[in-house]
Amino acid sequence: MRRLATLLMFMWLMAASCGAAEPPGRDDLSDPVFQRADLPEPVFLTAMAQDDKGLFWLGTQNGLFLWDGYRFHGVPVDPSRRDALADGFINVLHKDRQGRLWVGMAAGGLARLDPVTGKPVAVEIGPVGANHTNVLSMCDDVRDGLWVGTAAGLGHLGSDGVASGRGGASALEFAGQRVNA
């Protein structure tokens, strides 16, 4: 049901971006006017979130895109750049209680979008080697921290966005156990 709702929202966004300059007259009804969205082909929507500014962020298997109400803007993907996403396959998007937007990738680990520049910042979520794992889910906790479910286990970030141990445990709880939700 959630995927259906996401698909319907995406289709609505696509339809909203295809509007004509003025309403068609009676004679123009047989000639519809469409505008192509600037998204890579094919588009498989995997995640969606709305930030505090009201902008929509769409995660796909081909990258992360911002819909500003008029057009799509892509976030760069380049594992060699610090100001780009490490992976284009977006599994999950999450806006936390502090309004920060988090991006979970299939092979690029976790990133947080800088609220001022809009650029991604890589976030360490566990021991060496666990940072480029498959991030599958995210959830806030009552102390404004973030739980991160990965293919390698369950990680926790404190309210400052830094990996933390819970009760003296390692930063990556349930190591070696896949955590989907």
Side-chain angles (χ1 to χ4, degrees), residues 124-163:
E124 303 289 324
I125 57 174
V128 177
N131 295 317
H132 294 287
T133 191
N134 188 353
V135 174
L136 302 167
S137 59
M138 289 181 256
C139 182
D140 293 328
D141 69 14
V142 295
R143 294 188 181 111
D144 290 333
L146 184 69
W147 288 101
V148 182
T150 74
L154 182 63
H156 184 262
L157 302 174
S159 61
D160 58 358
V162 177

Side-chain angles (χ1 to χ4, degrees), residues 94-132:
H94 178 75
K95 185 183 84 160
D96 67 13
R97 293 181 190 174
Q98 297 180 40
R100 299 175 294 193
L101 189 65
W102 299 88
V103 182
M105 296 163 277
L110 181 65
R112 178 184 48 80
L113 293 180
D114 184 289
V116 176
T117 66
K119 294 182 180 181
V121 176
V123 177
E124 303 289 324
I125 57 174
V128 177
N131 295 317
H132 294 287

